[in-house]
Amino acid sequence: GSHIFNGQIFDPATEKVVTTPTGALTCRTAFAGNMIPSTRFGQAAVNINKLFPAPNLTRTSASSPNYVLKTTGLNVNTMESMRFDQNIGQAHKAYFSYSARENSPAVNLQFPLPLDTNSPQNFTTHFIRFGWDWTINQTMLNHLVLGYNRTNSFNASLEAAHGSTNWDTTLGIAGTPPSTAFPQLGFNGADNISNFGQNTDNDVIDNGYRVHESLDWQHGKNNFMFGGQWYLQLFDPLEKSGASGNFGFSRNETQVTPNNGGITGNSFASFMLGQVDAASLTDARIQFREISHYYNIFVQDDWKVRPGLTLNLGLSYSIHTPFRFKDGDTSNISLTAKNAAAGNLPGALVFAGAGA
């Protein structure tokens, strides 16, 4: 029976169902003076409000900002390489090489930490090689190469990367695993409120080990080569993104009628009441660690049949094993295994290793 105004906020605790000429209607009572009593504020919202910087701009319209942070960013790209060669007597030669690259992108903060929303990606690579050539005699040469590759892609918010505060516990958000990332807070775009926080925290590491062995033998018109290769690949991502939670706030919780998409309600008012509209959480109890091997043996012959004609002959055999979980923690679908949850009908997940 009262008037409804644009931007008016309503108390979700007063929700009730009333009868109207068109049927039952769920509605709420407006907050007096369009203000929420401080006694109704959620504790997490109060704690987060203490982190907001004071406005430093004068708003010229409802959609213009009231705060700006002046920052500078530096994009750092570092490269280094070295190589050492050494003769050991007449028959042996050895070398060692190392190269690395690190790329750290510029980060221009939108808000002071821990409220900033950036998640820069730092990329680092390392390549190491050791080689040994052994001249056995005038017709035979042995060649050995040992290698190690490492790529590291670190994608995380500055707070997750360098902070030490367990933010959810500090803010009063319960039920989440420990995390130094600040929770992500999202608001209705129509309310002209920025999102805050960034909980990206991933460190993807890829290690590769390499062995290459070959023997060259010059025999008459033939140049034989025998050899093999072995690769070990360890894909070891450390994924902790989302552990502090994603919390979305909408007008729905403070509208006169829930889910009506009208002109009432405010997502920041819903936030102050601690009324979350949507939330998600990632708790990575088991990290996805993969292992793969590659094996190869080969023989080849460069046969100089006559001047102007050389036949290049060879035979190679390779095995590239599928990726598997470290410790065997993996599962797959079996179309024949009995599913106890479905009356023993065929079709169920089967587990290997520790998950069996």
Side-chain angles (χ1 to χ4, degrees):
S2 59
H3 294 289
I4 296 174
F5 302 95
N6 186 13
Q8 194 173 17
I9 57 176
F10 292 78
D11 187 352
T14 63
E15 186 173 304
K16 58 186 176 182
V17 178
V18 298
T19 301
T20 70
T22 58
L25 178 68
T26 301
C27 62
R28 299 161 176 161
T29 302
F31 281 105
N34 215 35
M35 297 178 62
I36 302 173
S38 60
T39 56
R40 296 287 304 280
F41 291 166
Q43 188 57 52
V46 171
N47 293 333
I48 293 171
N49 263 272
K50 296 176 183 178
L51 302 173
F52 290 145
N56 58 12
L57 294 177
T58 300
R59 300 186 72 173
T60 57
S61 68
S63 61
S64 63
N66 65 353
Y67 175 81
V68 65
L69 178 64
K70 296 180 180 180
T71 62
T72 58
L74 182 63
N75 190 350
V76 179
N77 195 344
T78 304
M79 300 179 64
E80 57 182 311
S81 63
M82 62 182 72
R83 177 175 171 126
F84 301 95
D85 292 271
Q86 179 67 49
N87 291 335
I88 307 172
Q90 296 294 321
H92 301 277
K93 295 182 179 181
Y95 79 87
F96 172 83
S97 67
Y98 170 76
S99 63
R101 178 175 179 175
E102 181 176 2
N103 182 38
S104 299
V107 181
N108 295 306
L109 298 181
Q110 291 181 298
F111 302 103
L113 296 176
L115 300 173
D116 189 65
T117 58
N118 281 284
S119 59
Q121 183 181 43
N122 297 317
F123 193 75
T124 307
T125 60
H126 300 276
F127 298 97
I128 299 174
R129 292 293 183 270
F130 170 77
W132 172 41
D133 289 340
W134 174 25
T135 303
I136 301 173
N137 53 45
Q138 293 183 343
T139 62
M140 300 182 71
L141 171 66
N142 191 78
H143 184 62
L144 173 67
V145 176
L146 306 178
Y148 172 69
N149 305 334
R150 180 183 177 93
T151 60
N152 188 186
S153 176
F154 185 44
N155 183 203
S157 68
L158 296 180
E159 194 65 28
H162 306 293
S164 59
T165 301
N166 184 349
W167 278 109
D168 281 8
T169 299
T170 300
L171 297 173
I173 301 173
T176 60
S179 175
T180 57
F182 197 81
Q184 286 187 206
L185 310 176
F187 300 89
N188 189 306
D191 293 325
N192 298 311
I193 302 171
S194 298
N195 295 334
F196 298 101
Q198 175 59 256
N199 61 20
T200 299
D201 188 7
N202 292 327
D203 192 5
V204 179
I205 303 168
D206 198 3
N207 292 304
Y209 298 85
R210 308 285 187 260
V211 177
H212 178 94
E213 164 68 20
S214 63
L215 175 67
D216 290 345
W217 178 32
Q218 182 69 46
H219 182 68
K221 296 182 178 181
N222 300 87
N223 185 14
F224 297 105
M225 178 180 288
F226 311 90
Q229 301 173 78
W230 171 72
Y231 297 168
L232 170 62
Q233 204 68 29
L234 305 175
F235 184 64
D236 191 12
L238 304 175
E239 299 182 355
K240 297 180 288 183
S241 291
S244 58
N246 298 273
F247 302 95
F249 300 92
S250 75
R251 295 180 172 185
N252 185 51
E253 284 67 33
T254 48
Q255 288 177 337
V256 60
T257 299
N259 303 309
N260 73 346
I263 61 174
T264 61
N266 183 279
S267 56
F268 196 80
S270 300
F271 162 72
M272 291 305 301
L273 287 167
Q275 296 286 319
V276 179
D277 185 71
S280 64
L281 172 71
T282 301
D283 188 359
R285 301 296 178 91
I286 298 177
Q287 295 293 337
F288 186 68
R289 307 179 68 183
E290 289 185 325
I291 300 174
S292 178
H293 294 268
Y294 172 78
Y295 306 91
N296 170 257
I297 56 174
F298 66 89
V299 58
Q300 69 180 56
D301 177 24
D302 297 334
W303 176 25
K304 190 173 183 179
V305 181
R306 62 172 184 268
L309 177 61
T310 299
L311 297 181
N312 304 114
L313 309 174
L315 182 64
S316 176
Y317 180 74
S318 302
I319 298 176
H320 195 167
T321 66
F323 278 103
R324 63 175 177 83
F325 254 125
K326 184 180 181 297
D327 301 324
D329 291 325
T330 187
S331 64
N332 207 341
I333 184 70
S334 170
L335 300 180
T336 58
K338 294 181 179 180
N339 191 332
N344 287 327
L345 292 173
L349 288 176
V350 292
F351 296 87

